[in-house]
Amino acid sequence: MSTQSLDRAEAGMAAFEASTSRWGRITMLAGLVLSLIGPIYLVVFGGLDITSGQIWIAFLAVAATFGVFWIVEPLTYFPILGSAAMYQAFMIGNISNKLLPAAIVAQSSIGARPGTKRGDLAAVMAICGAATVHLTSLLIFVGLLGTWLMTRIPPGLIEVARLYILPALMGAVLIQCIATMKQIRPTVIALALALVVQFALVPALPKAAMFATAIVVVCTILASWFLRNRNIDHTAAIEDIPAIQENEVR
Amino acid sequence: MHPLSIHVPAAAGSTDIMAVANSPLVWACALGVFAVIFVQTFIYIKAARRTAPEIGMPAKELSGAFRAGAVASIGPSLAVVLVAIALLALFGTPAVLVRIGLIGSAATETASAGIAATSMGATLGGHDYTQQVFAVAFMAMSLSGGMWMLATLLLTPILKRGGKRLAQVSPAAMAIIPCAALLGAFSMLAIAEMPKSWVHLITLLVSAAVMTGCLLLAKKLHASWLKEWALGFAIIVALAVAFVAHTS
């Protein structure tokens, strides 16, 4: 890539970041306010004799369990999602079981690596596609037909979907992730660290289970950095030239 | 009574959850959240379309990525729909749409509601699950979900500045960090499923095997559509195996 087109690419990405950050923040604030109006209305105007003390106690009980995740999850997913997709992901929800898999599938189908400009745009577009399918299916099957479907779907099916959706998803996504990255060292490091955390650290320190993903993410980043192959010019990936990436990873 | 009060026989002791859970304003707010996300999606697509030519990315790749994301999310979305339907009786449609369908996940939000109900000495769906308990549980779920959004709003700009400086100091780091983070996250999420039960282990292995088969086949036949549908096939086959293993 020539210097001139590289400058143009930088400026283009900067404009993209500025626009998505501004609108991402505005839409997220709107979503936050809307999601709170409903319950506040019920509590204040519902005639249900609810005291502020009851709300505080319930909130503190929930905070004691999930408060750590409020901070840890955004920190864990930022290096993967990038700033533009952060505002989408934390509003749409279901990040690890839907949005990240969608982004990986999209990056692998066009052959772009995460962290590159093409990879970032592909991830954002994939999340847009996932959001469209997700919102539409929720509106139709839960909003419109939900109460009717409730009486039609065999409970056994719901039970199996609820119990086993995560393993059914994660096995496939891990394989696709490994196949897309084509990076042997970080793959071996990540798998080894996950096994150690799951089968050694968590049994010894059950409280660590809450942070398991964050611990493995941070340690994999650090280990991949210090154990990287210094003969490879990693900056090539930043330039977004597929041909160079192909040569680099094989 | 206040003019804004709900025009249904609402009372602290009533267990008619749906009477309050389905009130029009709660419905309007739920649909409002959907509208906001649709608007956000539209703005992001427009921004990506404007940027792609600048970085030399063909428009074909953008629409390809959109389609791949849409296809990949069919399986997980239907799974969320199934779980959401199962929870309708507990929380009513609008609360399920916003809390379980969007923003949070079934596991966290149901747990939050359960914890909030316990703090009032009641259980979800029990005979003591009154309108009052529902409203407090709904409020607690929404506040907790709001804190996730607040943290995202506050942390993202800070992390972005940090990332920019790191990119200047060491471009190689920016090539390694996202890949390593992704591999680390999914290794842990997958391996955490293994010890839950032997059915979990089999489901995980079947899902991984189907994906491996699809990817090899896609490479051999040069069928890129198979890469997009592979995730859906893997989920369906793995869940079918789980169904047989679970019920046998």
Side-chain angles (χ1 to χ4, degrees):
Chain A
M1 244 187 221
S2 70
T3 328
Q4 198 186 359
S5 66
L6 207 61
D7 283 348
R8 204 177 138 204
E10 293 297 337
M13 271 326 261
F16 177 76
E17 295 276 327
S19 158
T20 49
S21 293
R22 186 172 69 245
W23 287 104
R25 272 198 296 273
I26 293 172
T27 45
M28 186 171 245
L29 263 176
L32 175 60
V33 170
L34 277 171
S35 75
L36 288 175
I37 290 179
I40 288 174
Y41 165 71
L42 286 186
V43 166
V44 179
F45 302 114
L48 296 172
D49 298 326
I50 294 165
T51 62
S52 58
Q54 285 171 312
I55 301 286
W56 272 110
I57 291 169
F59 175 69
L60 289 176
V62 172
T65 314
F66 293 113
V68 181
F69 292 102
W70 300 338
I71 312 288
V72 169
E73 279 203 349
L75 289 177
T76 310
Y77 290 130
F78 179 84
I80 304 173
L81 290 166
S83 65
M86 284 288 279
Y87 298 112
Q88 296 178 291
F90 281 91
M91 191 135 79
I92 302 166
N94 299 290
I95 299 171
S96 61
N97 62 10
K98 192 177 66 236
L99 302 183
L100 289 182
I104 294 170
V105 170
Q107 288 172 340
S108 109
S109 76
I110 68 161
R113 285 240 307 256
T116 61
K117 296 188 186 78
R118 275 172 75 236
D120 281 354
L121 284 196
V124 164
M125 286 303 279
I127 291 176
C128 288
T132 309
V133 165
H134 188 61
L135 293 183
T136 313
S137 58
L138 275 177
L139 281 175
I140 295 174
F141 295 117
V142 181
L144 216 56
L145 305 174
T147 33
W148 175 74
L149 283 172
M150 221 164 95
T151 57
R152 298 276 162 217
I153 297 175
L157 191 65
I158 293 181
E159 171 84 351
V160 167
R162 186 177 63 79
L163 280 174
Y164 303 111
I165 183 62
L166 277 180
L169 185 69
M170 289 309 164
V173 174
L174 179 59
I175 296 295
Q176 186 145 37
C177 187
I178 292 170
T180 308
M181 296 324 156
K182 299 190 186 90
Q183 300 238 43
I184 295 170
R185 271 184 218 205
T187 302
V188 173
I189 292 169
L191 285 171
L193 282 169
L195 285 169
V196 168
V197 167
Q198 181 62 44
F199 295 104
L201 184 68
V202 171
L205 260 171
K207 284 227 156 177
M210 285 177 83
F211 306 97
T213 310
I215 293 171
V216 172
V217 165
V218 171
C219 294
T220 307
I221 291 173
L222 292 175
S224 302
W225 173 250
F226 288 111
L227 301 175
R228 74 186 183 277
N229 186 347
R230 281 159 214 267
N231 298 324
I232 290 175
D233 179 14
H234 283 283
T235 52
I238 291 285
E239 307 265 326
D240 276 306
I241 304 165
I244 291 181
Q245 285 184 28
E246 293 282 314
N247 295 336
E248 180 210 340
V249 291
R250 276 178 204 151
Chain B
M1 266 180 118
H2 196 280
L4 269 174
S5 292
I6 303 157
H7 300 294
V8 289
S14 168
T15 52
D16 185 6
I17 303 299
M18 294 310 138
V20 287
N22 282 319
S23 54
L25 193 109
V26 179
W27 259 108
C29 289
L31 294 178
V33 174
F34 275 76
V36 166
I37 299 176
F38 269 123
V39 169
Q40 185 189 57
T41 304
F42 182 74
I43 293 171
Y44 272 51
I45 292 175
K46 256 183 72 182
R49 282 231 177 98
R50 246 194 334 264
T51 309
E54 308 286 315
I55 66 159
M57 185 176 182
K60 197 174 84 237
E61 287 191 349
L62 275 192
S63 47
F66 181 90
R67 201 186 53 239
V71 170
S73 71
I74 292 176
S77 283
L78 288 184
V80 171
V81 163
L82 273 180
V83 177
I85 289 173
L87 293 170
L88 280 179
L90 219 46
F91 302 120
T93 311
V96 162
L97 280 177
V98 171
R99 305 263 42 107
I100 281 93
L102 305 171
I103 304 176
S105 69
T108 355
E109 301 295 299
T110 325
S112 297
I115 293 164
T118 310
S119 81
M120 297 180 73
T123 44
L124 294 182
H127 61 90
D128 49 3
Y129 184 44
T130 60
Q131 290 177 342
Q132 193 188 34
V133 176
F134 163 76
V136 171
F138 186 24
M139 187 78 225
M141 279 196 266
S142 304
L143 282 174
S144 175
M147 294 303 285
W148 252 285
M149 288 165 126
L150 199 63
T152 305
L153 282 168
L154 296 175
L155 288 173
T156 304
I158 299 171
L159 292 168
K160 191 179 162 192
R161 265 200 299 279
K164 270 218 177 90
R165 291 210 32 201
L166 190 62
Q168 282 161 0
V169 178
S170 165
M174 294 312 284
I176 289 172
I177 289 174
C179 288
L182 207 51
L183 284 165
F186 278 111
S187 298
M188 189 62 231
L189 290 167
I191 284 168
E193 295 300 315
M194 286 180 174
K196 288 186 182 168
S197 78
W198 66 273
V199 184
H200 280 84
L201 183 61
I202 289 173
T203 312
L204 186 82
L205 295 177
V206 168
S207 161
V210 173
M211 176 57 87
T212 311
C214 284
L215 289 183
L216 289 176
L217 212 59
K219 198 169 178 185
K220 207 168 176 187
L221 305 174
H222 300 286
S224 60
W225 66 270
L226 191 55
K227 279 191 193 170
E228 289 173 15
W229 287 92
L231 186 59
F233 292 150
I235 291 173
I236 290 171
V237 175
L239 278 184
V241 171
F243 189 84
V244 173
H246 183 74
T247 47
S248 63

